[in-house]
Amino acid sequence: MRSTLTAALLILAGWLGSAVALAEVRSGITVEATELRDGGAASAAVLQQLPAQTRVSILKRQGGWYQVQTGAGQQGWVALL
């Protein structure tokens, strides 16, 4: 019984730790000029051109795309590579 409770608490602690890590917003800087698109696909409309060295907040990753937010508050998608 005690080992089952210990295992359950360790699983719960791990789950809570991962939830906190997922809630963390990460930032990045574009290495080169990059197109900010309205979706995570090369066929998505271009919203604007981000110059090299643009700082962005990374909100989400989906395949080879990041959903980001610029310092001005505009959200969109940039290719990972």
Side-chain angles (χ1 to χ4, degrees):
M1 174 80 172
R2 185 174 174 93
S3 63
T4 303
L5 179 60
T6 302
L9 288 175
L10 287 174
I11 291 169
L12 179 60
W15 179 78
L16 288 173
S18 66
V20 169
L22 290 175
E24 180 181 318
V25 175
R26 297 184 179 163
S27 64
I29 299 173
T30 60
V31 175
E32 57 186 42
T34 305
E35 294 173 334
L36 182 68
R37 296 182 176 270
D38 72 353
S43 60
V46 175
L47 300 172
Q48 75 178 73
Q49 186 80 13
L50 298 177
Q53 305 301 312
T54 300
R55 183 172 297 278
V56 294
S57 296
I58 301 170
L59 306 175
K60 177 175 157 182
R61 180 177 176 185
Q62 180 178 318
W65 293 85
Y66 282 124
Q67 183 181 30
V68 300
Q69 182 171 341
T70 66
Q74 184 167 18
Q75 290 187 14
W77 294 81
V78 295
L80 177 60
L81 298 176

